[in-house]
Amino acid sequence: MAVEEEGLRIFQSVKIKIGEAKNLPSYPGPNKMRDCYCTVNLDQEEVFRTKIVEKSLCPFYGEDFHCEIPRSFRHLSFYIFDRDVFRRDSIIGKVAIQKEDLQKYHNRDTWFQLQHVDADSEVQGKVHLELRLSEVITDTGVVCHKLAARILECQGLPIVNGQCDPYATVTLAGPYRSEAKKTKVRRRTNNPQFDEVFYFEVTRPCSYSRKSHFDFEEEDVDKLEIRYFLQPRDNGSRSLKPGDLGSLRLNVVYTEDHVFSSDYYSPLRDLLLRSADVEPVSASAAHILGEVCREKQEAAVPLVRLFLQHGRVVPFISAIANAEVRRTQDPNTIFRGNSLTSKCIDETMKLAGMHYLHVTLKPSIEEICQSHKPCEIDPVRLRDGENLENNMENLRQYVDHIFSAITKSGVSCPTVMCDIFFSLREAAAKRFQDDPDVRYTAVSSFVFLRFFAPAILSPNLFQLTLHHTDPLTSRTLTLISKTIQTLGSLSKSKSASFKESYMAAFYEFFNEQKYTEAVKNFLDLISSSGRRDPKSIEQPILLKEGFMIKRAQGRKRFGMKNFKKRWFRLTNHEFTYQKSKGDQPLCSIPIENILAVEKLEEESFKMKNMFQVIQPERALYVQADNCVEAKAWADTLTKVSQHNQQRLTTFHPSAYLNGRWLCCRASSDMAAGCTPCTGGLPANIQLDIDGDRETERIYSLFNLNMSKLEKMQEACGSRSVYAGPEQEEYSSFVIDDPQETYKTLRQVIAGVGALEQEHAQYRRDKFQKTKYGSQEHPIGDKSFQSYIRQRSETSTHSI
C-alpha cells in the first residue's frame, strides 16, 4: 500500500532481525530469572511479537520480521516485556528509533540501550491549533491584548490498555502567573475533534508598570494556524544510569521508495528487459548492475521481480547461467559461489516456490515441532536417560518422512522453477560432457542445498513456523537438514562428506541405491522440458489464517450485532471463520461472492484497523490486530477475488447504522456506493509485484554506484585501446566485449541521469509548496528539517 503524493507513490518497508537482549535487571524474587518477549511497534502500535524466552536475563530471540508499512510513523520502537507466574506482562524497557535516524543503523548489527518507559515518554500524535491575537478596549477605555486559542483536533493519540478518552488543556504560562483551561472529554477515539476556543489576556493595560513577558511582532496579530507534534513534558525523563535496564541487539533495514508514473521508467526498464538478448550477456544492463553492486543480492532482488512480472526471468537466468558455466573449470564447483546467477535463482525460488515449499514440508515440520522426540546422535550431547539407538531410529524416521515428501513432490514444482532447472541441466551437460552426474548436481545444488535444506534448518525464515524453534527442536532440524543436503548432493563418498564421525555413522542407514535413484528420478522430473504441472484438479491453497474480531453480519432477523473474536481462514476457494482453530466453520464465504474488500472508516465503530468484505447482500466487518495485519488480509482477499465478474466499482467507506449509511446519509441499505473502489491488485497470489517500484530500486542502486559505472567505462576504454595485461583496478569487472559494454553503460548513465533530474525537480517543487506547521509537516517534524538540509546538498554527479 503506497501513500499517494502529487503524482508520486511512496512505499515504506522494513526488515528487522531481533537478535538478543543482555543484562536485563533480575526479577525481585528468589529465582531472579525472567520470561521475556520483544515486540515491534510503529509508534505505539504493536505489529510483531517474538516468542517468550523463559528463565533468562540474556534471552536470545533470533527472529526476523518483514513488512510493508501502510501509514506514516515517527518512531520504530521495540519493547521488552516480562511475563510473571500469573501471566501478567510488565514492561522492562524500550528502544525507540526516530524515523529520520533509521539510515544510521541501516543493515548493521547494533546494540541499543533499553530506556525506561513512563507516561510522558509514550507521548505521540499531533495537535491542530489556531491562534489569534487581537486588541480589546475595556470598559474603562484601556486597550488590552487578548489571545484566542482554538483547539480544533488531535490525531494519532496513543491508545492505552485499549482505551483513549482524551481531553486537552491549554496553559498560558508567564513569569508571574499560569492560567490553564480544559476542553470537554471525547470518548473512545484517538483522533478527537474539539473545536473549542479559549481566551487569555496576554498584555496588561498600558498603566501596568512592569514590561509584559509576552512580545508579538506585528504580523502575529493576524490569525495563525499551526500544527504541532506532541512532545513529552519537561519532567518526562528520569535521571538514570545508562545500561541499568540492559540492551538489545537489532539489525534494521528501512527502505522508502518514491515512485513516479510508469512512463518515467520506460527507457531504463526497456533497457533492462532486453538484457537476455544482449550478446554477450555480460554487456547487458542487468549484468552490469550485478557487477557494480557491493552485494549481488542487492541487484538480484529487484531484477528477478521485474523479470518475473514481464515473463523474462527464465531467458535472463538461462543467459547468465550459460555464461557462468562457460567460465567454470571444475564440474564439482558449478554454481557453488555467490554469483549473480545463484542469487537470482535463489530469489526466484523464494518468490515462485513458497507455496510449493509449504505444501511439501509444513506437515513434517509441524509434526517434529509438536512431537519433541529425542534425536540427539552425538554421544557427547546425550541427556541422562536417553538411548543412542532409540534417538537414531527417531531421527531416521524423520529423515525418511521428509525425504519421501520431497522426492514425491516433483509434479507440484512450479513451472518457472522447472524451466530454469532445465536450462541449468542442459548448460552443465553440454559444458562437461564427460561427467554423467553433472546434469543432476547442477540442479541439486539449488533445489536441495539452497531451497529445501535452509527451510528445514530455519523454518521460521520461510514462514513454516511462527517463531524460532526451541533449542532441542532446532538441533533435530539441523541434523535432518545436514542429512537431506547430503542425500540430494549425490556425492560419490557421502559418509566422507561429514566432519563428525557420528553423522557418518548415521548416514550408513541411507547408503542404499533406492535413495540415489529416488533423488535422480525427482531431479529428472523437475528439470524435464516436457514436464507439465497437472491443473485438472485444483486443491485448496491455504493463503492466510489467524484470529481477528468480526461484527455479526445480521444473517438472522433478530439478534445482537456484537463483536466476537474468531479464527479466520482464507484459501483460494473460500473465506471462513470459526470459534477456534480446527473447529467447524461458523460461516463460509465463497471467493466468487466477494464483491470488494475495502477499508472501513474509524468513525463507524470507533475502532481502528477495520476492513469490510462486501458480499451481495451484506458486508462482513472485521478488525485486525494492527495496521500491518489489516493491510495483509485486505490485500490477499483482494488478490484472490480480483477476477470475480460481479466486482463492485463503488462502495460505502462507513457502516450502515441506525437506518442510514454514515458516509453519504443514504437511508436504503441497498443504496449504491458513494466512493470509488480502490485500484485492482495483481491476481497472481504468489507474485504481487510492482514493476515501477522495482525499476525505481534499480535506478537507486545504479545512482548509488555511479562512481563504479564510471570506473567500468574507463575499464572498457582501457581494454579497447590497450590489448595488453589488465590493470589491477579494473580486474574486478567481467567485461567480455568492451565496445558493447561501453555502449550499454552510456545508456544506463543517461537513463539514471534523466530520473535523477525528475527526482531533483520534484524535491524543488515540494520544498516551495511546503509550509512548516502544516498537516504534512507539523512543528517538531525532524524529517522535514532533514529534508531541508538535503535540498541544499548538490548531487555528487553533474547531470
Side-chain angles (χ1 to χ4, degrees), residues 348-358 414 416-417 451 686:
T348 304
M349 292 191 299
K350 286 179 186 176
L351 286 169
M354 192 59 72
H355 172 66
Y356 167 52
L357 192 71
H358 280 217
V416 67
M417 288 172 59
F451 188 60
Q686 284 77 27

Side-chain angles (χ1 to χ4, degrees), residues 713-714 716-717 737-747:
Q713 274 190 317
E714 294 175 12
C716 290
D737 187 326
Q739 292 184 343
E740 238 357 90
T741 305
Y742 188 85
K743 176 183 172 183
T744 304
L745 282 164
R746 287 185 58 185
Q747 293 174 304

Side-chain angles (χ1 to χ4, degrees), residues 65-79:
F65 172 65
H66 169 250
C67 75
E68 296 287 322
I69 300 176
R71 63 171 177 83
S72 59
F73 70 100
R74 293 179 64 194
H75 293 89
L76 182 64
S77 302
F78 304 83
Y79 291 79

